[in-house]
Structures are given as structure tokens and as C-alpha cells.
Amino acid sequence: PARQGRGIGSRLLDSLVERAEQLQAPIYLETLNPANLMYYQRWSFEVRGQAALPDGGVPVWGMVRQAGSRPRPD
């Protein structure tokens, strides 16, 4: 948390998206935090499913970004 908001995650994601675009490959990710959904949607990820972890656990969302999606955010 002390390093959040400094663009580190965006730089890492930008590198991953760039490589996936070169390979024309989709990217799959999972998040446990609903606050992350909008962040990843800005990167053209789409929610493909939601499930609850066993024994009353937290929900998890599966997201996919297809190659050739709209450009990355600035």
C-alpha cells in the first residue's frame, strides 16, 4: 500500500499488454478486489466470470483482454 498510486502497476501492465499485442495473444487475470474491476476495464479487460471461493470465501472475478482491444489508457 505504501507504493500504491505511483504508477508501478500501470508500468508493469503496460509491458504485459504490449507483449501480448506483439504475440496477438489474450491475457487472463483474476482479482479478489471489486475495486480493481474498473482499473482493469480501463485496460480493456472484460469480466468473464465470477465465483465465490469455497467455505464462504471472498468472490473472485476472472477477466480477459483480447489482442487488438482498444488502446491502453494514458
Side-chain angles (χ1 to χ4, degrees):
R3 291 197 166 81
Q4 286 180 326
R6 296 184 183 185
I8 297 167
S10 292
R11 287 193 299 270
L12 291 169
L13 196 51
D14 186 55
S15 177
L16 176 64
V17 167
E18 183 177 325
R19 182 68 176 141
E21 286 295 320
Q22 291 171 354
L23 297 171
Q24 288 296 293
I27 304 170
Y28 174 81
L29 64 81
E30 294 177 351
T31 183
L32 302 173
N33 185 345
N36 292 341
L37 296 174
M38 288 182 62
Y39 173 78
Y40 290 123
Q41 288 169 337
R42 287 191 351 234
W43 289 83
S44 301
F45 283 85
E46 298 176 0
V47 174
R48 292 295 175 96
Q50 177 184 353
L53 295 177
D55 301 321
V58 297
V60 59
W61 289 267
M63 303 183 79
V64 174
R65 182 187 190 280
Q66 297 296 333
S69 296
R70 62 184 155 80
R72 301 179 302 273
D74 292 324

